[in-house]
Amino acid sequence: MSGGMSPEVPTYDSQPLFIGLGIHRWKRSTMREHRVIKAISVVIGAAFLSGAALPSAIAAEEDPASITAIESVTPEVLYGLASSADLRSVTQSATQLDNGASVQLPAGPTEPLVLEDDLHPDLSLVLPITTGVVDTAARSGLPVYEVGSSVDLVPAVKDDGSVQIITVLKEASAPSRYDYGFSAGLKLQLAEDGFVLITDEADQYVGAVTPPWAVDATGAVVPTRFEVSGSTLTQIVEHAGFIYPVVADPYAGKALISSVGVGSEKGQPRYSVTKTTFGHSVSLGYGLGGGDDPLLGAQIMRDQGWSEAVSKGLGTATTIRQQYDCHTVYAAGKNPWNLERWRGTNDWWGINPQLCNW
């Protein structure tokens, strides 16, 4: 996938895609508003589904300070969590989630976090922690590790087997560099857009890491970036002068496509492609914490996402491929993506997408 991570303008049938036209671009200046609206929707929706009164549900039990900070600053990163029972068990033994993925959190500083599924090689990395689990959230089951005295690390396991590794910097003495050591043999490719593509020695896709982000207690964007050296991924968080706690990630995962449903329309197949929690984040170009542009993850979804979708039953007719590619660019926020076999081909969908269902 050497071209899959290229920032160049994508092409289809040798025709340039003028993908800047008509696309809503996520601005850093609106990140806070987006986070607040999304967080309110998630919390109210959860309370409605459970039938609980919102104030009493929130005040029922106290969580560790780092969990409270995450809920206050970036509550949307807690969207799509695995069940509390699963989260409590992944620190003790590998836990298989509903989609067949398996997650193992480390019991101590030298043990790796391991992500497994049926489609890809295992993804294993050592976290920058100095302890085993020091606390657990009463309500969600989220574990808390320490990265020295001034930083906590909270691996938020999602229902699809991806993990948002949330770093909470509690004070100005917190380090600015955090190293994640991937297992030997894995290759890390850092793209200009901030995505990290992870492959094995045979160049087979293993997983990805979404572009980094960091925000302070007021929601202000904190400068952050990735660096890669061999099999080590380092996140630099330039937090001096900001209001604490500062919350950062990275977010790592594997599977992009959850399922492909097949129905019928006009006597021909109609496909419904549902993205995983991680795949939806990749599709939007960020890790559920804010981002610049939904185009960032489009190439990964067009390459690896397409391969996964085909392996799960998506047809390969030219019109289906064109509709799928179009959705990665113009309909990144939709989930699922609906594709109809009866539609004709459209070699110029990059200029005239017609909502990707022409």
Side-chain angles (χ1 to χ4, degrees):
M1 192 171 167
S2 58
M5 297 300 292
S6 171
E8 298 176 356
V9 175
T11 60
Y12 192 90
D13 289 346
S14 300
Q15 300 295 337
L17 304 180
F18 299 102
I19 55 181
L21 300 176
I23 297 176
H24 173 74
R25 300 177 64 88
W26 294 77
K27 300 296 183 182
R28 291 282 186 192
S29 60
T30 62
M31 282 172 59
R32 178 63 175 170
E33 290 80 0
H34 169 67
R35 284 197 298 271
V36 170
I37 293 171
K38 186 173 181 180
I40 290 174
S41 300
V42 170
V43 172
I44 291 178
F48 175 78
L49 291 174
S50 66
L54 191 58
S56 61
I58 292 177
E61 297 182 77
E62 291 188 4
D63 277 336
S66 291
I67 304 296
T68 302
I70 294 167
E71 291 173 339
S72 174
V73 178
T74 54
E76 70 278 10
V77 301
L78 303 180
Y79 171 77
L81 289 180
S83 70
S84 59
D86 283 342
L87 285 173
R88 287 182 171 87
S89 66
V90 290
T91 57
Q92 301 169 10
S93 61
T95 294
Q96 187 166 339
L97 305 175
D98 289 342
N99 67 342
S102 178
V103 178
Q104 172 69 64
L105 294 184
T110 61
E111 297 185 14
L113 182 158
V114 182
L115 308 182
E116 301 176 344
D117 64 22
D118 294 334
L119 289 177
H120 316 102
D122 294 351
L123 177 58
S124 175
L125 66 154
V126 175
L127 308 178
I129 55 177
T130 56
T131 65
V133 176
V134 296
D135 210 342
T136 303
R139 289 169 289 168
S140 64
L142 284 168
V144 179
Y145 297 79
E146 287 183 352
V147 185
S149 60
S150 57
V151 183
D152 285 343
L153 187 145
V154 179
V157 178
K158 308 292 184 174
D159 54 11
D160 63 351
S162 60
V163 179
Q164 188 124 30
I165 306 168
I166 310 169
T167 313
V168 182
L169 289 63
K170 297 183 283 187
E171 55 190 47
S173 63
S176 60
R177 298 176 64 90
Y178 300 89
D179 293 336
Y180 297 86
F182 288 79
S183 58
L186 292 183
K187 295 187 290 186
L188 309 181
Q189 302 173 45
L190 175 60
E192 291 185 16
D193 58 22
F195 268 99
V196 178
L197 182 68
I198 306 167
T199 57
D200 63 13
E201 293 177 326
D203 291 326
Q204 182 178 353
Y205 171 87
V206 175
V209 181
T210 58
W213 56 264
V215 294
D216 77 357
T218 69
V221 175
V222 177
T224 186
R225 67 185 186 278
F226 283 150
E227 291 180 356
V228 168
S229 177
S231 59
T232 299
L233 173 67
T234 301
Q235 182 169 7
I236 294 91
V237 184
E238 300 174 3
H239 58 88
F242 286 88
I243 307 301
Y244 299 90
V246 169
V247 179
D249 68 344
Y251 183 26
K254 298 165 68 65
L256 302 169
I257 304 299
S258 174
S259 63
V260 176
V262 184
S264 178
E265 185 172 307
K266 297 188 177 181
Q268 297 195 56
R270 181 179 190 270
Y271 302 97
S272 182
V273 180
T274 301
K275 293 171 282 184
T276 62
T277 298
F278 182 67
H280 192 54
S281 238
V282 170
S283 180
L284 289 171
Y286 65 91
L288 292 178
D292 283 327
D293 194 332
L295 295 181
L296 297 185
Q299 192 68 58
I300 289 179
M301 295 307 296
R302 281 202 299 279
D303 291 345
Q304 180 59 34
W306 168 260
S307 297
E308 286 188 25
V310 170
S311 74
K312 295 183 177 182
L314 182 62
T316 58
T318 299
T319 181
I320 295 298
R321 182 62 198 255
Q322 290 174 337
Q323 291 175 58
Y324 177 92
D325 287 353
C326 184
H327 277 74
T328 69
V329 175
Y330 290 100
K334 290 181 63 178
N335 197 21
W337 291 335
N338 295 315
L339 320 172
E340 294 83 22
R341 178 63 181 84
W342 62 266
R343 298 184 187 277
T345 58
N346 179 6
D347 293 343
W348 291 94
W349 63 262
I351 298 174
N352 185 23
Q354 299 178 37
L355 299 179
C356 299
N357 297 108
W358 42 81

